[in-house]
Coordinates of all heavy atoms in Angstrom, one line a residue:
M1 N 89.3 -65.3 -9.7 CA 88.6 -65.9 -10.8 C 87.9 -64.7 -11.5 O 87.3 -63.8 -10.9 CB 87.5 -66.9 -10.3 CG 86.8 -67.5 -11.4 SD 85.5 -68.6 -10.8 CE 86.4 -70.0 -10.1
K2 N 88.0 -64.7 -12.8 CA 87.4 -63.6 -13.7 C 85.9 -63.9 -13.9 O 85.5 -65.0 -14.2 CB 88.1 -63.5 -15.0 CG 89.5 -63.0 -14.9 CD 90.1 -62.8 -16.2 CE 91.5 -62.3 -16.1 NZ 92.1 -62.1 -17.4
K3 N 85.1 -62.9 -13.8 CA 83.7 -63.0 -14.0 C 83.3 -62.2 -15.2 O 84.0 -61.2 -15.6 CB 82.9 -62.5 -12.8 CG 83.0 -63.3 -11.6 CD 82.1 -62.7 -10.5 CE 82.2 -63.6 -9.3 NZ 81.3 -63.1 -8.2
N4 N 82.3 -62.5 -15.9 CA 81.7 -61.8 -17.0 C 82.8 -61.5 -18.1 O 83.0 -60.4 -18.5 CB 81.1 -60.5 -16.6 CG 80.0 -60.7 -15.6 OD1 79.3 -61.7 -15.7 ND2 79.8 -59.8 -14.6
I5 N 83.5 -62.5 -18.6 CA 84.5 -62.4 -19.6 C 83.9 -61.9 -20.9 O 84.5 -61.2 -21.7 CB 85.3 -63.7 -19.7 CG1 86.0 -64.0 -18.5 CG2 86.3 -63.6 -20.9 CD1 86.7 -65.3 -18.4
N6 N 82.7 -62.4 -21.2 CA 82.1 -62.2 -22.5 C 81.2 -60.9 -22.6 O 80.6 -60.7 -23.6 CB 81.3 -63.4 -22.9 CG 82.1 -64.6 -23.1 OD1 83.3 -64.5 -23.5 ND2 81.6 -65.8 -22.7
I7 N 81.2 -60.1 -21.6 CA 80.3 -58.9 -21.6 C 81.1 -57.8 -22.4 O 82.2 -57.5 -22.1 CB 80.0 -58.4 -20.2 CG1 79.2 -59.5 -19.5 CG2 79.3 -57.1 -20.2 CD1 78.8 -59.1 -18.1
V8 N 80.3 -57.2 -23.3 CA 80.9 -56.1 -24.2 C 80.4 -54.8 -23.6 O 79.2 -54.6 -23.3 CB 80.4 -56.2 -25.6 CG1 80.9 -55.0 -26.4 CG2 80.9 -57.5 -26.2
E9 N 81.3 -53.9 -23.3 CA 80.9 -52.6 -22.7 C 80.8 -51.6 -23.8 O 81.6 -51.5 -24.7 CB 81.9 -52.1 -21.7 CG 81.9 -53.0 -20.4 CD 82.8 -52.4 -19.4 OE1 83.1 -51.2 -19.4 OE2 83.2 -53.2 -18.5
E10 N 79.7 -50.9 -23.8 CA 79.5 -49.8 -24.8 C 80.3 -48.6 -24.4 O 80.5 -48.3 -23.2 CB 78.0 -49.4 -24.8 CG 77.1 -50.4 -25.3 CD 77.3 -50.7 -26.8 OE1 77.6 -49.8 -27.5 OE2 77.1 -51.9 -27.2
P11 N 80.9 -47.9 -25.4 CA 81.7 -46.7 -25.0 C 80.8 -45.6 -24.5 O 79.7 -45.5 -25.0 CB 82.3 -46.3 -26.4 CG 81.5 -47.0 -27.4 CD 80.9 -48.2 -26.8
V12 N 81.3 -44.8 -23.6 CA 80.5 -43.7 -23.0 C 80.6 -42.6 -23.9 O 81.7 -42.2 -24.4 CB 81.1 -43.4 -21.6 CG1 80.3 -42.2 -21.0 CG2 81.1 -44.6 -20.7
A13 N 79.4 -42.0 -24.2 CA 79.4 -40.8 -25.1 C 79.9 -39.6 -24.4 O 79.5 -39.3 -23.2 CB 78.0 -40.6 -25.6
D14 N 80.7 -38.8 -25.1 CA 81.2 -37.6 -24.5 C 80.5 -36.4 -25.2 O 80.9 -35.9 -26.2 CB 82.7 -37.5 -24.7 CG 83.3 -36.3 -24.0 OD1 82.6 -35.7 -23.2 OD2 84.5 -36.0 -24.2
Y15 N 79.3 -36.0 -24.6 CA 78.5 -35.0 -25.2 C 79.1 -33.7 -25.2 O 78.9 -32.9 -26.1 CB 77.1 -35.0 -24.5 CG 76.3 -36.3 -24.8 CD1 76.1 -37.2 -23.7 CD2 75.8 -36.6 -26.0 CE1 75.4 -38.4 -23.9 CE2 75.1 -37.8 -26.2 CZ 74.9 -38.6 -25.2 OH 74.2 -39.8 -25.4
K16 N 79.8 -33.4 -24.1 CA 80.4 -32.0 -24.0 C 81.5 -31.8 -25.1 O 81.5 -30.8 -25.8 CB 81.1 -31.9 -22.6 CG 81.6 -30.5 -22.4 CD 82.0 -30.3 -21.0 CE 82.5 -28.9 -20.8 NZ 82.5 -28.4 -19.5
K17 N 82.3 -32.8 -25.4 CA 83.3 -32.7 -26.4 C 82.6 -32.6 -27.8 O 83.0 -31.8 -28.7 CB 84.2 -33.9 -26.4 CG 85.3 -33.8 -27.5 CD 86.3 -34.9 -27.4 CE 87.4 -34.8 -28.4 NZ 87.2 -34.1 -29.6
A18 N 81.5 -33.4 -28.0 CA 80.8 -33.3 -29.3 C 80.2 -31.9 -29.5 O 80.3 -31.4 -30.6 CB 79.7 -34.4 -29.3
E19 N 79.7 -31.3 -28.5 CA 79.1 -30.0 -28.6 C 80.2 -29.0 -28.9 O 80.0 -28.1 -29.7 CB 78.4 -29.6 -27.3 CG 77.7 -28.3 -27.3 CD 76.9 -28.0 -26.0 OE1 77.0 -28.8 -25.1 OE2 76.3 -26.9 -26.0
E20 N 81.3 -29.1 -28.2 CA 82.5 -28.2 -28.5 C 83.0 -28.3 -29.9 O 83.3 -27.3 -30.6 CB 83.6 -28.4 -27.5 CG 83.3 -28.0 -26.1 CD 84.4 -28.4 -25.1 OE1 85.4 -29.1 -25.5 OE2 84.2 -28.1 -23.9
D21 N 83.0 -29.6 -30.4 CA 83.4 -29.8 -31.8 C 82.5 -29.1 -32.8 O 82.9 -28.5 -33.8 CB 83.6 -31.3 -32.1 CG 84.7 -31.9 -31.4 OD1 85.6 -31.2 -30.9 OD2 84.8 -33.2 -31.3
L22 N 81.2 -29.2 -32.5 CA 80.2 -28.6 -33.4 C 80.3 -27.1 -33.4 O 80.2 -26.4 -34.4 CB 78.8 -29.0 -33.0 CG 78.3 -30.4 -33.4 CD1 77.0 -30.8 -32.8 CD2 78.3 -30.6 -34.9
L23 N 80.6 -26.5 -32.2 CA 80.8 -25.1 -32.1 C 82.0 -24.6 -32.9 O 82.0 -23.6 -33.6 CB 80.9 -24.7 -30.6 CG 79.6 -24.7 -29.8 CD1 79.8 -24.4 -28.4 CD2 78.6 -23.7 -30.4
K24 N 83.1 -25.4 -32.7 CA 84.3 -25.0 -33.5 C 84.1 -25.1 -35.0 O 84.5 -24.3 -35.7 CB 85.4 -25.9 -33.1 CG 86.0 -25.7 -31.7 CD 87.1 -26.6 -31.3 CE 87.5 -26.4 -29.9 NZ 88.5 -27.4 -29.4
K25 N 83.3 -26.1 -35.4 CA 83.1 -26.3 -36.8 C 82.2 -25.1 -37.3 O 82.4 -24.6 -38.4 CB 82.4 -27.6 -37.1 CG 82.1 -27.9 -38.5 CD 81.3 -29.2 -38.7 CE 80.9 -29.4 -40.2 NZ 80.0 -30.5 -40.3
G26 N 81.2 -24.8 -36.5 CA 80.4 -23.6 -36.9 C 81.1 -22.3 -37.0 O 80.9 -21.5 -37.9
L27 N 82.0 -22.1 -36.1 CA 82.8 -20.9 -36.1 C 83.8 -20.8 -37.2 O 84.2 -19.7 -37.7 CB 83.5 -20.7 -34.7 CG 82.6 -20.4 -33.5 CD1 83.4 -20.4 -32.3 CD2 81.9 -19.0 -33.7
S28 N 84.2 -21.9 -37.7 CA 85.2 -22.0 -38.8 C 84.6 -21.7 -40.1 O 85.3 -21.5 -41.1 CB 86.0 -23.3 -38.8 OG 85.1 -24.3 -39.2
S29 N 83.2 -21.8 -40.2 CA 82.6 -21.6 -41.5 C 82.5 -20.1 -41.8 O 82.5 -19.2 -41.0 CB 81.2 -22.1 -41.6 OG 80.4 -21.5 -40.6
N30 N 82.6 -19.8 -43.1 CA 82.5 -18.3 -43.5 C 81.1 -17.8 -43.6 O 80.1 -18.6 -43.4 CB 83.3 -18.1 -44.8 CG 82.7 -18.9 -46.0 OD1 81.5 -19.2 -46.0 ND2 83.5 -19.2 -47.0
Y31 N 80.9 -16.5 -43.9 CA 79.6 -15.9 -43.8 C 78.7 -16.5 -44.9 O 77.5 -16.6 -44.7 CB 79.7 -14.4 -44.0 CG 80.3 -13.8 -42.7 CD1 81.6 -13.2 -42.8 CD2 79.6 -13.8 -41.5 CE1 82.2 -12.6 -41.6 CE2 80.2 -13.2 -40.4 CZ 81.4 -12.6 -40.4 OH 82.0 -12.1 -39.3
T32 N 79.2 -16.8 -46.1 CA 78.4 -17.4 -47.1 C 77.8 -18.7 -46.8 O 76.7 -19.0 -47.0 CB 79.3 -17.5 -48.4 OG1 79.9 -16.3 -48.7 CG2 78.4 -17.9 -49.6
E33 N 78.7 -19.6 -46.2 CA 78.2 -20.9 -45.7 C 77.1 -20.7 -44.7 O 76.1 -21.4 -44.6 CB 79.3 -21.7 -45.2 CG 80.3 -22.2 -46.2 CD 81.5 -22.8 -45.6 OE1 81.8 -22.7 -44.4 OE2 82.2 -23.5 -46.4
R34 N 77.3 -19.8 -43.7 CA 76.3 -19.5 -42.7 C 75.0 -19.0 -43.3 O 73.9 -19.4 -42.9 CB 76.8 -18.5 -41.7 CG 78.0 -19.0 -40.8 CD 78.5 -17.9 -39.9 NE 79.8 -18.3 -39.3 CZ 80.4 -17.5 -38.5 NH1 79.9 -16.4 -38.1 NH2 81.6 -17.9 -38.0
F35 N 75.1 -18.2 -44.3 CA 73.9 -17.6 -45.0 C 73.1 -18.8 -45.6 O 71.9 -18.9 -45.5 CB 74.3 -16.6 -46.0 CG 73.1 -16.1 -46.8 CD1 72.2 -15.3 -46.3 CD2 73.0 -16.6 -48.1 CE1 71.1 -14.9 -47.1 CE2 71.9 -16.2 -48.9 CZ 71.0 -15.3 -48.4
H36 N 73.8 -19.6 -46.4 CA 73.1 -20.7 -47.1 C 72.5 -21.7 -46.1 O 71.4 -22.2 -46.3 CB 74.1 -21.4 -48.0 CG 74.5 -20.7 -49.2 ND1 73.6 -20.3 -50.1 CD2 75.7 -20.1 -49.6 CE1 74.2 -19.6 -51.1 NE2 75.5 -19.5 -50.8
T37 N 73.2 -22.0 -45.0 CA 72.6 -22.8 -43.9 C 71.3 -22.2 -43.4 O 70.3 -22.9 -43.2 CB 73.7 -23.1 -42.8 OG1 74.8 -23.7 -43.4 CG2 73.1 -24.0 -41.8
M38 N 71.4 -20.9 -43.1 CA 70.2 -20.3 -42.5 C 69.1 -20.3 -43.5 O 67.9 -20.5 -43.1 CB 70.6 -18.8 -42.1 CG 69.5 -18.2 -41.3 SD 69.2 -19.1 -39.7 CE 67.7 -18.3 -39.2
A39 N 69.4 -20.0 -44.8 CA 68.3 -20.0 -45.8 C 67.7 -21.4 -45.9 O 66.5 -21.5 -46.0 CB 68.9 -19.6 -47.1
R40 N 68.5 -22.5 -45.8 CA 67.9 -23.8 -45.9 C 67.0 -24.1 -44.7 O 65.9 -24.6 -44.8 CB 69.1 -24.8 -45.9 CG 69.5 -25.3 -47.2 CD 70.2 -26.6 -47.2 NE 71.2 -26.7 -46.1 CZ 72.5 -26.4 -46.3 NH1 73.0 -26.0 -47.4 NH2 73.3 -26.5 -45.2
L41 N 67.4 -23.6 -43.5 CA 66.6 -23.8 -42.3 C 65.3 -23.1 -42.4 O 64.3 -23.5 -42.0 CB 67.4 -23.4 -41.1 CG 68.6 -24.3 -40.7 CD1 69.4 -23.7 -39.5 CD2 68.0 -25.7 -40.3
M42 N 65.4 -21.8 -42.9 CA 64.1 -21.0 -43.1 C 63.2 -21.7 -44.1 O 62.0 -21.7 -43.8 CB 64.5 -19.6 -43.5 CG 65.2 -18.8 -42.4 SD 65.8 -17.2 -42.9 CE 64.3 -16.4 -43.0
K43 N 63.7 -22.2 -45.2 CA 62.8 -22.9 -46.1 C 62.2 -24.1 -45.5 O 61.0 -24.4 -45.7 CB 63.7 -23.3 -47.4 CG 64.0 -22.2 -48.3 CD 64.9 -22.7 -49.4 CE 65.4 -21.5 -50.3 NZ 66.3 -22.0 -51.4
L44 N 63.0 -24.9 -44.8 CA 62.5 -26.1 -44.1 C 61.4 -25.7 -43.1 O 60.4 -26.4 -43.0 CB 63.6 -26.8 -43.5 CG 63.2 -28.2 -42.8 CD1 62.6 -29.1 -43.8 CD2 64.4 -28.7 -42.1
N45 N 61.6 -24.6 -42.4 CA 60.6 -24.2 -41.4 C 59.3 -23.8 -42.1 O 58.2 -24.1 -41.6 CB 61.2 -22.9 -40.7 CG 60.3 -22.5 -39.5 OD1 59.6 -23.3 -38.9 ND2 60.2 -21.2 -39.3
M46 N 59.4 -23.1 -43.2 CA 58.1 -22.8 -44.0 C 57.4 -24.0 -44.5 O 56.2 -24.1 -44.4 CB 58.5 -21.8 -45.1 CG 58.9 -20.5 -44.7 SD 59.1 -19.2 -46.0 CE 59.8 -20.1 -47.4
I47 N 58.2 -25.0 -44.9 CA 57.6 -26.3 -45.4 C 56.9 -27.0 -44.3 O 55.7 -27.5 -44.4 CB 58.6 -27.2 -46.1 CG1 59.1 -26.6 -47.4 CG2 58.1 -28.6 -46.3 CD1 60.3 -27.2 -48.0
L48 N 57.5 -27.1 -43.1 CA 57.0 -27.8 -42.0 C 55.8 -27.0 -41.4 O 54.9 -27.7 -40.8 CB 58.0 -28.0 -40.9 CG 59.1 -29.0 -41.3 CD1 60.2 -29.0 -40.2 CD2 58.6 -30.3 -41.6
K49 N 55.8 -25.7 -41.4 CA 54.6 -25.0 -40.9 C 53.4 -25.3 -41.7 O 52.3 -25.3 -41.2 CB 54.9 -23.5 -41.0 CG 55.5 -22.9 -39.8 CD 55.6 -21.4 -40.0 CE 56.3 -20.7 -38.9 NZ 56.5 -19.3 -39.0
S50 N 53.5 -25.4 -43.0 CA 52.3 -25.6 -43.9 C 51.9 -27.1 -44.0 O 51.0 -27.4 -44.7 CB 52.6 -25.0 -45.3 OG 53.6 -25.7 -45.9
A51 N 52.7 -28.0 -43.4 CA 52.4 -29.4 -43.5 C 51.2 -29.8 -42.7 O 50.9 -29.3 -41.6 CB 53.6 -30.2 -43.0
K52 N 50.4 -30.7 -43.3 CA 49.2 -31.1 -42.6 C 49.5 -32.6 -42.2 O 49.7 -33.4 -43.0 CB 48.0 -31.1 -43.6 CG 46.7 -31.5 -42.9 CD 45.5 -31.4 -43.9 CE 44.3 -31.9 -43.2 NZ 43.2 -31.9 -44.1
I53 N 49.4 -32.8 -40.9 CA 49.7 -34.1 -40.3 C 48.4 -34.8 -40.1 O 47.5 -34.3 -39.4 CB 50.5 -34.0 -39.1 CG1 51.8 -33.3 -39.4 CG2 50.8 -35.3 -38.5 CD1 52.7 -32.9 -38.2
T54 N 48.2 -36.0 -40.6 CA 47.0 -36.8 -40.3 C 47.4 -38.1 -39.6 O 48.5 -38.6 -39.9 CB 46.3 -37.1 -41.6 OG1 47.1 -37.8 -42.5 CG2 45.8 -35.9 -42.3
H55 N 46.6 -38.6 -38.8 CA 46.9 -39.8 -38.1 C 45.9 -40.9 -38.5 O 44.7 -40.6 -38.7 CB 46.7 -39.6 -36.6 CG 47.7 -38.6 -36.0 ND1 49.0 -38.9 -35.8 CD2 47.6 -37.3 -35.8 CE1 49.7 -37.9 -35.3 NE2 48.8 -36.9 -35.3
K56 N 46.4 -42.1 -38.7 CA 45.5 -43.2 -39.1 C 45.6 -44.2 -37.9 O 46.6 -44.4 -37.3 CB 46.0 -43.9 -40.4 CG 45.9 -43.0 -41.6 CD 46.4 -43.7 -42.8 CE 46.2 -42.9 -44.0 NZ 46.7 -43.6 -45.2
K57 N 44.5 -44.8 -37.7 CA 44.4 -45.9 -36.7 C 45.1 -47.1 -37.2 O 45.0 -47.5 -38.4 CB 43.0 -46.3 -36.4 CG 42.2 -45.2 -35.6 CD 40.9 -45.7 -35.2 CE 40.1 -44.6 -34.4 NZ 38.8 -45.1 -34.1
I58 N 45.9 -47.7 -36.4 CA 46.6 -49.0 -36.7 C 45.7 -50.1 -36.5 O 45.1 -50.3 -35.4 CB 47.9 -49.1 -35.9 CG1 48.8 -47.9 -36.2 CG2 48.6 -50.4 -36.2 CD1 50.1 -48.0 -35.3
E59 N 45.5 -50.9 -37.5 CA 44.6 -52.1 -37.3 C 45.3 -53.4 -37.2 O 46.3 -53.6 -37.7 CB 43.6 -52.1 -38.5 CG 42.7 -50.9 -38.6 CD 41.8 -51.0 -39.8 OE1 41.7 -52.0 -40.4 OE2 41.1 -50.0 -40.0

């Protein structure tokens, strides 16, 4: 007798393959793309450093 016919199983995430794919994509980019990406990250870092975070009480 079959049990749990209606149960949907979530696919298992393959984090190692995803990480390898990101590394391959990063290595395939040229120096100009890497420079622009680094410049964007540095600008974002400067913006986040100067950000003032305030907390409000939830009522």
Side-chain angles (χ1 to χ4, degrees):
M1 186 183 286
K2 292 184 179 180
K3 291 184 179 180
N4 300 328
I5 295 172
N6 297 325
I7 294 178
V8 177
E9 291 186 21
E10 294 292 327
V12 178
D14 189 8
Y15 294 108
K16 185 169 182 159
K17 182 175 181 335
E19 185 177 359
E20 289 174 359
D21 290 344
L22 285 174
L23 287 172
K24 287 178 185 176
K25 182 182 174 189
L27 289 173
S28 68
S29 64
N30 60 25
Y31 290 112
T32 307
E33 291 172 343
R34 292 179 194 180
F35 171 77
H36 288 297
T37 302
M38 190 61 193
R40 265 198 319 265
L41 290 173
M42 291 173 70
K43 287 179 186 177
L44 182 61
N45 186 32
M46 291 188 320
I47 290 170
L48 292 176
K49 270 187 184 176
S50 63
K52 182 178 179 184
I53 300 171
T54 58
H55 298 278
K56 293 182 180 179
K57 289 185 179 179
I58 299 174
E59 294 179 11

